[in-house]
Amino acid sequence: MRIIKALIKKEFWQIVRDPSSIMIAVILPFILISIFATAINLDNNSIKTGLVIEGNRQQINDIIASFDGTKYLDIIRYNSRKEAQRDLINGHIRAMVVIPNNFAQSFMAGQSSPIQVITDASDPNIALFASAYIQGIVATAQKILLEIYGYNKNTGISIEQISWYNPELKSRYFILPNSIAIIMTLIGMLLTALVIAREWERGTMEALLTTKASKFQILIAKYFSYYVLAMISVAFCTFLSVIVFAVPFNGSLAVYFVSSSLFLFVSIGIGLTISTLTRNQFLAAVTAAMFGFLPAVVLSGGLFEISSMPKIIRIFTNVIPATHFVPVIKNLFIAGNIWPIIFSESLYLLIYGLLVFALLYHLTEERLER
Amino acid sequence: MSNVIEISHLIKKFSRPEILALDDISLSLEKGRVIGLIGPDGSGKTTLIRIMIGLLKPSSGKISVLQLSPEKQTKLLHQKIGYMPQKFGLYEDLTVLENMNLYADLQGLSEECKKTQFEKMLKFTGLAPYVHRLAGRLSGGMKQKLGLGCALFGSPQVLFLDEPSVGVDPISRRELMKMIYDLKADGITVIWSTSYLDEAENFDDVILLNEGKVIFYGHPQKLTSIVKNRVFLTGDASKSPRAVLRELIKSNAPLSDGVISGKNVRLVLRKNQQIHEVKLSPANPRFEDAVIDILGGMNMQVSAIADQIQTDYSGESVICADNLTKKYGDFTAANHISFNIKKGEIFGLLGPNGA
């Protein structure tokens, strides 16, 4: 225990004195989160949206007024569904809303009344925002209408949403939780990929191997130190996302803590394994970026939908730890504790992490040669 | 048994590229001696030390250190030895004191033990004023003293030092050597590797390695004595020493070594050979002479280039420094230095670390 404590102390001094680890742990997350968050805000204004009203205008004036009043959508009126569809295909508009012929009638009759929303999901983020705004507008309009026409338990506007080009739109929700997963990969994998290689390059490993410290103790000290650093970064990112950028957090903090820990357990293990195999900082950094960080960004399902990937790549995505963390963190923020996902993914990460540790332990030599 | 290290028929091969690093080595090293492991670069010194402390495995042969097998009882052995690797093995981004604490903890020293050992070590190394300085900011000599101090935590019975004097100025080198002899009084056995032959005469015993083989093992004077009566000085007031040496080589004189020494030429004759061309005055044999001789002597040839190169230098300066001063913040690194280096000169810059 004393040896592990001494080694952890050493790791902390090294982290504190190395400006690059502070950069990666605090400044980089700040920049990334800010970029992701403001990118969302930039998309806020004036998404060109077509509005097609097929029925009697008089009765639904309030809805139309709500659409016209929004500053988020740039409403263009069309006389027919066909014209609007043509412009959507051409890319002149990003989304279209169709209020059908019988809408007013069924609404007045207290029946469920559908409105159709079609979005161009080839740019999924914009599509996502457009549909979210439309939903908001409709909800406001519905409230007004119900106040005017009275409540009826069946009354209500239902939105029939169609996302063109990419039907999986809904699963790709807020981007900030994903970026937290990416930042965690960055610290867990990229930073740790350097640390064992550094000891080899500087010759400190040779000195370390002739002390009482066992390889188990050396590894545990590295896992723990970088785990703490990454968790500080996670706390910082979460604070930024929730407090500064007002992303909702609906899950339990305890679950968040446990699942983040498991994810880091795997990531740090992979980083240290890369470091052990290469024994060279430059090679380790490039390897970690190519095989650790980039796949985590591209293939984890955070930015691009896994179900739309070819089967062979879909199978490959399972190797990436972020693939099994993104669904959990996304749900924790947006939906709350979804236990089946939390259990299955956490179990996966735990087993994965243990396997990586076993491999790392096996690869770590107590001699200079392999 | 008074032998701390027993080695028999030790062979070490490396693959990719295939190198026979140690070729059938057998040695018995006595307890309580300062043993110099000497030899040219690439002769296998580091490999031998690393095998002795279990960082490398022998390809074949037997080895025991303190009656332990470095290969199988590695951790047990590490508790009884101290090791200072060739590369500075301490953390440059930790302070002197933090490094000391780390290594003391890693050697399992108790808190009281730590206190007394730290006091002793700081007194011994003279590092007390620098305890809060980052190890990376220490001079070469101070780094080595810190490395040595840390290697001594846990009171080792055998101390392995791999080229501790590289990059260390002569003053610090002497201090290091003195520390080692202080340790010897405590009964520690020291293995010190070096490629500086002028250090060898300080050792109780030397092991001379060449191409993975032990060429000599014993007291350094015993090795020096093999060139007894074969070392001479010669000179000719009318000629440069370089010209004297060149003529001797051209006349195929039986030389094992010939070096210019001030205005004279220092010659080592081959065994049972004489020369009559020049007047010789006997000189004291040096350890270095014996090592060169036992390694087969220098390849005494006249340089083809030296014959062609123009040697008449008109005295024009190629580098002129006039009142050169360099400051780093408040620290003056170079203070009003002036010199001229003329064409064809070999100009030496001497001084201790940080001079």
Side-chain angles (χ1 to χ4, degrees):
Chain A
M1 211 46 221
R2 209 166 132 230
I3 290 176
I4 295 180
K5 229 173 91 186
L7 287 169
I8 288 171
K9 224 156 97 197
K10 176 217 100 181
E11 296 290 343
F12 274 113
W13 282 123
Q14 288 191 300
I15 290 169
V16 170
R17 301 230 168 95
D18 179 10
S20 69
S21 50
I22 300 294
M23 264 286 287
I24 295 182
V26 179
I27 305 199
L28 199 70
F30 178 76
I31 293 170
L32 280 179
I33 294 273
S34 303
I35 288 174
F36 281 125
T38 42
I40 291 171
N41 285 335
L42 283 179
D43 286 334
N44 266 352
N45 298 317
S46 59
I47 298 166
K48 284 192 175 171
T49 306
L51 181 61
V52 184
I53 298 152
E54 292 182 326
N56 186 345
R57 274 179 202 194
Q58 215 88 73
Q59 289 153 315
I60 51 170
N61 259 343
D62 293 302
I63 294 184
I64 298 166
S66 308
F67 274 105
D68 284 339
T70 179
K71 61 179 178 179
Y72 300 118
L73 302 175
D74 182 4
I75 298 293
I76 299 162
R77 299 281 188 85
Y78 291 94
N79 291 323
S80 75
R81 196 186 278 255
K82 255 204 177 127
E83 281 172 57
Q85 279 182 1
R86 197 189 55 226
D87 272 6
L88 188 63
I89 291 166
N90 291 341
H92 293 316
I93 56 174
R94 293 297 199 167
M96 58 184 270
V97 181
V98 183
I99 300 172
N101 230 335
N102 57 351
F103 175 79
Q105 269 169 305
S106 61
F107 191 83
M108 304 292 279
Q111 291 161 355
S112 172
S113 324
I115 285 179
Q116 189 181 43
V117 176
I118 304 177
T119 52
D120 170 4
S122 63
D123 188 335
N125 291 327
I126 291 180
L128 190 71
F129 303 135
S131 78
Y133 295 136
I134 293 166
Q135 279 177 40
I137 291 163
V138 171
T140 319
Q142 168 172 298
K143 217 175 141 206
I144 298 166
L145 287 175
L146 288 176
E147 268 165 22
I148 298 167
Y149 300 111
Y151 292 89
N152 178 317
K153 69 175 176 167
N154 290 326
T155 313
I157 305 171
S158 65
I159 297 176
E160 183 206 355
Q161 179 159 349
I162 302 169
S163 303
W164 277 9
Y165 311 125
N166 184 350
E168 283 288 316
L169 182 70
K170 272 192 172 169
S171 66
R172 194 179 296 131
Y173 216 72
F174 284 103
I175 218 158
L176 282 196
N178 294 334
S179 68
I180 293 177
I182 289 168
I183 289 163
M184 285 166 82
T185 308
L186 201 67
I187 298 168
M189 225 180 263
L190 213 56
L191 219 50
T192 53
L194 300 176
V195 297
I196 291 180
R198 188 168 61 198
E199 302 246 15
W200 282 112
E201 276 183 11
R202 294 188 184 168
T204 48
M205 191 55 109
E206 197 175 334
L208 214 53
L209 289 178
T210 54
T211 64
K212 262 190 179 173
S214 67
K215 63 178 182 178
F216 180 78
Q217 290 165 327
I218 294 172
L219 291 179
I220 290 298
K222 295 223 181 282
Y223 262 92
F224 181 77
S225 310
Y226 284 87
Y227 165 72
V228 171
L229 180 70
M231 284 310 263
I232 290 171
S233 184
V234 168
F236 178 63
C237 288
T238 310
F239 171 83
L240 270 184
S241 305
V242 176
I243 308 294
V244 180
F245 295 109
V247 176
F249 185 87
N250 294 313
S252 112
L253 279 174
V255 174
Y256 188 38
F257 179 79
V258 171
S259 58
S260 304
S261 302
L262 285 170
F263 174 59
L264 284 171
F265 178 48
V266 185
S267 301
I268 292 171
I270 293 176
L272 292 177
T273 305
I274 291 171
S275 204
T276 301
L277 284 174
T278 56
R279 291 190 183 183
N280 171 306
Q281 286 193 79
F282 178 73
L283 206 60
V286 174
T287 311
M290 291 304 291
F291 297 103
F293 180 62
L294 276 184
V297 173
V298 179
L299 298 178
S300 68
L303 293 179
F304 305 102
E305 189 54 42
I306 291 175
S307 57
S308 60
M309 291 172 192
K311 194 173 178 209
I312 195 147
I313 302 221
R314 250 175 358 212
I315 294 166
F316 175 73
T317 58
N318 282 311
V319 183
I320 303 159
T323 307
H324 294 273
F325 179 59
V326 164
V328 177
I329 189 173
K330 216 155 53 178
N331 281 318
L332 282 174
F333 270 85
I334 297 157
N337 299 334
I338 298 184
W339 293 107
I341 294 179
I342 291 167
F343 279 129
S344 64
E345 301 294 33
S346 298
L347 187 66
Y348 187 97
L349 288 176
L350 178 66
I351 293 167
Y352 195 175
L354 288 172
L355 286 176
V356 171
F357 182 77
L359 176 73
L360 175 62
Y361 187 77
H362 174 74
L363 288 172
T364 306
E365 280 290 349
E366 282 183 310
R367 288 176 218 282
L368 297 176
E369 58 194 341
R370 297 176 189 197
Chain B
M1 274 244 305
S2 64
N3 288 343
V4 278
I5 299 174
E6 290 280 356
I7 301 171
S8 75
H9 302 291
L10 178 72
I11 288 174
K12 178 66 187 176
K13 282 180 196 149
F14 289 111
S15 49
R16 280 178 297 157
E18 214 158 283
I19 293 169
L20 185 59
L22 295 176
D23 186 4
D24 195 15
I25 287 187
S26 297
L27 287 167
S28 299
L29 307 186
E30 263 178 68
K31 186 175 182 278
R33 296 179 82 84
V34 178
I35 300 161
L37 185 57
I38 58 174
D41 291 334
S43 56
K45 301 186 295 286
T46 297
T47 307
L48 182 57
I49 288 187
R50 284 174 172 174
I51 289 177
M52 290 196 277
I53 58 173
L55 283 180
L56 290 175
K57 282 191 232 174
S59 303
S60 70
K62 272 194 195 148
I63 177 164
S64 78
V65 177
L66 296 165
Q67 277 84 52
L68 295 170
S69 156
E71 195 183 340
K72 296 188 186 92
Q73 295 157 296
T74 318
K75 280 290 149 192
L76 204 59
L77 178 65
H78 287 169
Q79 291 175 29
K80 299 185 173 187
I81 60 156
Y83 171 53
M84 198 171 129
Q86 195 169 355
K87 265 195 201 166
F88 182 61
L90 301 174
Y91 293 90
E92 304 214 338
D93 38 9
L94 262 60
T95 65
V96 170
L97 191 62
E98 284 159 5
N99 268 303
M100 286 165 60
N101 268 314
L102 174 67
Y103 279 88
D105 285 341
L106 293 185
Q107 290 299 359
L109 260 61
S110 69
E111 285 301 319
E112 309 101 72
C113 211
K114 239 163 99 170
K115 221 183 137 200
T116 53
Q117 288 244 17
F118 278 14
E119 236 167 72
K120 197 173 137 200
M121 183 265 206
L122 288 174
K123 208 171 138 197
F124 176 66
T125 56
L127 284 169
Y130 310 104
V131 285
H132 295 297
R133 191 182 281 196
L134 290 184
R137 299 244 173 93
L138 294 175
S139 74
M142 284 201 277
K143 272 185 192 171
Q144 295 303 71
K145 283 180 205 164
L146 175 60
L148 176 62
C150 287
L152 287 171
F153 292 147
S155 310
Q157 296 175 36
V158 192
L159 189 59
F160 295 88
L161 309 172
D162 194 359
E163 306 221 9
S165 49
V166 170
V168 176
D169 66 61
I171 296 166
S172 307
R173 241 161 87 181
R174 269 178 216 173
E175 285 172 355
L176 270 179
M177 193 61 87
K178 195 188 158 289
M179 286 178 197
I180 295 303
Y181 273 88
D182 290 347
L183 290 171
K184 197 192 142 184
D186 301 342
I188 295 185
T189 309
V190 181
I191 315 278
W192 169 312
S193 90
T194 181
S195 47
Y196 298 143
L197 296 176
D198 56 334
E199 281 174 5
E201 281 167 271
N202 299 313
F203 300 126
D204 294 329
D205 290 308
V206 293
I207 300 165
L208 176 60
L209 281 183
N210 189 42
E211 291 177 345
K213 286 193 178 73
V214 176
I215 304 289
F216 174 83
Y217 170 46
H219 195 272
Q221 267 174 18
K222 203 176 126 205
L223 183 60
T224 311
S225 69
I226 65 163
V227 286
K228 212 171 136 192
N229 301 327
R230 283 160 54 197
V231 184
F232 300 94
L233 285 178
T234 185
D236 188 332
S238 63
K239 279 184 257 178
S240 77
R242 198 173 296 274
V244 173
L245 183 57
R246 195 177 316 144
E247 274 167 32
L248 278 170
I249 293 168
K250 277 188 177 163
S251 66
N252 282 325
L255 295 176
S256 174
D257 195 12
V259 283
I260 290 159
S261 168
K263 289 202 158 59
N264 291 316
V265 182
R266 194 182 161 85
L267 300 174
V268 181
L269 297 188
R270 291 205 179 272
K271 233 176 186 167
N272 305 320
Q273 297 281 345
Q274 302 278 310
I275 41 175
H276 307 286
E277 292 94 330
V278 289
K279 205 176 145 241
L280 297 176
S281 50
N284 273 335
R286 289 193 301 220
F287 184 78
E288 212 173 320
D289 301 328
V291 170
I292 301 289
D293 187 66
I294 205 172
L295 293 180
M298 294 297 287
N299 184 11
M300 302 303 284
Q301 276 183 337
V302 176
S303 154
I305 281 187
D307 267 347
Q308 286 172 19
I309 275 182
Q310 169 217 351
T311 51
D312 174 33
Y313 301 114
S314 53
E316 76 184 273
S317 294
V318 283
I319 296 175
C320 304
D322 184 20
N323 269 318
L324 204 63
T325 299
K326 173 69 187 171
K327 285 182 178 174
Y328 298 101
D330 290 339
F331 175 71
T332 310
N335 194 5
H336 299 287
I337 294 173
S338 304
F339 57 84
N340 287 318
I341 304 178
K342 293 197 179 110
K343 203 172 167 186
E345 268 185 340
I346 297 173
F347 192 90
L349 286 170
L350 307 180
N353 298 135

